[in-house]
Amino acid sequence: MEKLLIRGGVPLKGTVSISGSKNASLPIMAAAILAGGRSVLRGLPALRDVLTMGALLEQMGARFNFSPDDSLAEIDASELKNPVAAYELVKTMRASVLVLGPLTARYGRAKVSLPGGCAIGARPINLHLMGLEKMGAKIELEGGYVIAKARRLKGASLYFDLPTVTGTENLMMAAALAKGVTVLENAAREPEIVDLAETLQAMGAKIEGAGGSLIEIEGVDELKPFDHEAIPDRIETATFAVAAAVTGGDILIKNSRPEHLDAVSIKLRETGAEVKKTPAGLRVKGNGRPRSVNITTMPYPGFPTDVQAQFMALMCIAGGTSTINETVFENRFMHVPELKRMGADIDLQGGLATVKGVPALKGAEVMATDLRASASLVLAALAAESESVVHRIYHLDRGYEQMEKKLLALGARAERIK
Ligand code: UD1
C-alpha cells in the first residue's frame, strides 16, 4: 500500500491550479444516462472516484472514454443493457447511488446495491428512496440491493427532513424526465447542485430555484446530451488555502471560485491569515501563529463538513482553544487519534472536539481513514517539525488530483513510497 513521506516545516509558496470538482462531476456523469447520444464533460479530474463512476457506467453498457491529459470524457449511454450498479463498485464509492434516479427515470428500472455504512457514519439513503416512491416508483429491497421500477415517474411535492446533497441531485435528475411538476423542499443548496442543474438545463430540462432550498422541476419527455465543464473543486481550494495558513506560506490559488468558499475564507481570516480575491486567483498568506476560532459544520452555505478535518489541523497549532462542532455526520472525527499521535491536544465528546493549540506538531507515522481525514493528516505533516509518514494514501487519491505533485511545486518535501 502506498504512503506519503513528508518532511514538514517548509512554508508552501507559489501557485497552484485547482482541478474540476469531484462532487460536481460524479452526478453530471450519472446525468449522461438521461439522454441518448454522446455527452462531453470537461474539467473532469483524474481521480479514483471518477474512474469508479466510469466503470459503473461501462458495466451497464455505456461507453466511457476518458482522456485524463485533457480532463475530458465522452459518455454515451444510448444503449444501456444492464441497469445494475453492483456491490463490488458501490462498496468502494457511495456516490454510485447517483445512478438510481436517472436509471429509474429513463429505463423504468434500476438495481443498485445499498451503499451501507462508511467510516464517517451510517449515511442512509432513505430520503432518496422516499422521493422516488412518492414519484410513483415501486421500491423493493432484496439481497442488499434497491430495486426500483416505474412505468413513468410522475411529478410530486417532496420535502427533505435533512438537506441531502446526493438525494437532491438524484431526485432532480429523476424529476427532469418525470411527467408533471416536482417540487423539492428543504433541498440542499451546494454549488455542485447548481452545476448539475445547469447541465440538465443545457440538456433541455426545465428547472428553477437550484441553489435555493426550493427547487421546481417540470418534467420533459426527452433530454439531449450535454457538453459541460465542471466547476473547480471548492474543497480542494479550501485544502490548499489551509495549507498556506498552516505552514505560514503564501499560495496563489488559480482556477478557483472564491464565492463558493465564503464561510471558509471568513474563518481563515479570523485565524489571522490573509485571504484575498485577486484577478489572478485567490491568494492566501499565513501570518504567524494562527489564532483559535470555533467552527460548526453545516449544509451549504455553512462551514463545509468536508473541510472540518483540514481546519482542525490548523487549530492544532493555534494560540488558544477552539471548539469544532460536527453536525452533518455523526462520526467524522477519525483523524483525531491520528492528530494526537503528532502531539495535538484534542478532547472529543460526541460531535464536539475541543482543540487546545500546541506551539508545534511533531512528525509521526499516521493512518488515513477517509478522504478528508487523509488531507488533514497531510496538512498536519506539512506543518510538523520533523518527518511523517501518512499511510493508506489511497483515500487521498479518491478526491485529490495529483496532490503530491501540486505540493512539490509549492516547495513541500513529499515523496510517495510503496
Ligand atoms: C455529499 C458529498 C460529501 C459531503 C456531504 C455533505 C458527494 C458525492 N458527496 O455526500 O462529500 O460530505 O454531501 O456535505 O457530493 N441523510 C439521511 N438520509 C438520506 C440522505 C442523507 O439521513 O437519505 C443524512 C446523512 O446521513 C447526513 C446528512 O443527511 O447526516 C447529509 O448527507 P448528504 O448531504 O446526503 O451527504 P452525501 O450526499 O452522501
Side-chain angles (χ1 to χ4, degrees), residues 22-24 26-27 94-95 98 120 122-129 162-167 169 188 190 192 234 298-299 305-306 327-330 332 372:
K22 167 178 91 72
N23 286 355
L26 296 174
R94 298 183 42 81
L98 283 163
I120 64 172
R123 298 184 80 174
I125 57 160
N126 57 309
L127 300 171
H128 305 228
L129 302 183
L162 288 165
T164 156
V165 177
T166 49
E169 291 165 346
E190 270 67 3
E192 293 77 20
R234 65 191 167 98
M298 284 209 239
T305 173
D306 283 351
T327 73
V328 179
F329 292 111
E330 68 268 28
R332 201 168 205 181
R372 305 306 169 188

Side-chain angles (χ1 to χ4, degrees), residues 189-311:
R189 294 182 281 166
E190 270 67 3
E192 293 77 20
I193 289 170
V194 177
D195 208 29
L196 173 64
E198 284 174 1
T199 308
L200 293 169
Q201 281 162 341
M203 297 170 81
K206 294 185 181 161
I207 302 179
E208 272 178 28
S213 52
L214 195 137
I215 306 178
E216 200 172 297
I217 306 123
E218 188 184 337
V220 296
D221 292 337
E222 212 175 51
L223 292 168
K224 53 182 193 292
F226 59 79
D227 185 332
H228 182 83
E229 176 157 3
I231 52 172
D233 198 302
R234 65 191 167 98
I235 308 301
E236 188 193 6
T237 308
T239 304
F240 279 100
V242 177
V246 82
T247 62
D250 184 355
I251 305 182
L252 178 67
I253 308 176
K254 289 199 334 196
N255 189 37
S256 62
R257 295 270 292 266
E259 69 272 25
H260 294 162
L261 274 183
D262 282 345
V264 174
S265 299
I266 289 168
K267 287 293 175 180
L268 274 177
R269 283 191 197 109
E270 283 179 22
T271 71
E274 277 178 43
V275 182
K276 270 198 210 136
K277 292 177 200 174
T278 75
L282 187 70
R283 181 150 177 213
V284 185
K285 204 165 162 230
N287 229 343
R289 191 171 179 193
R291 286 192 291 270
S292 58
V293 300
N294 302 334
I295 59 164
T296 297
T297 65
M298 284 209 239
Y300 191 84
F303 192 95
T305 173
D306 283 351
V307 186
Q308 179 257 106
Q310 299 89 316
F311 203 85

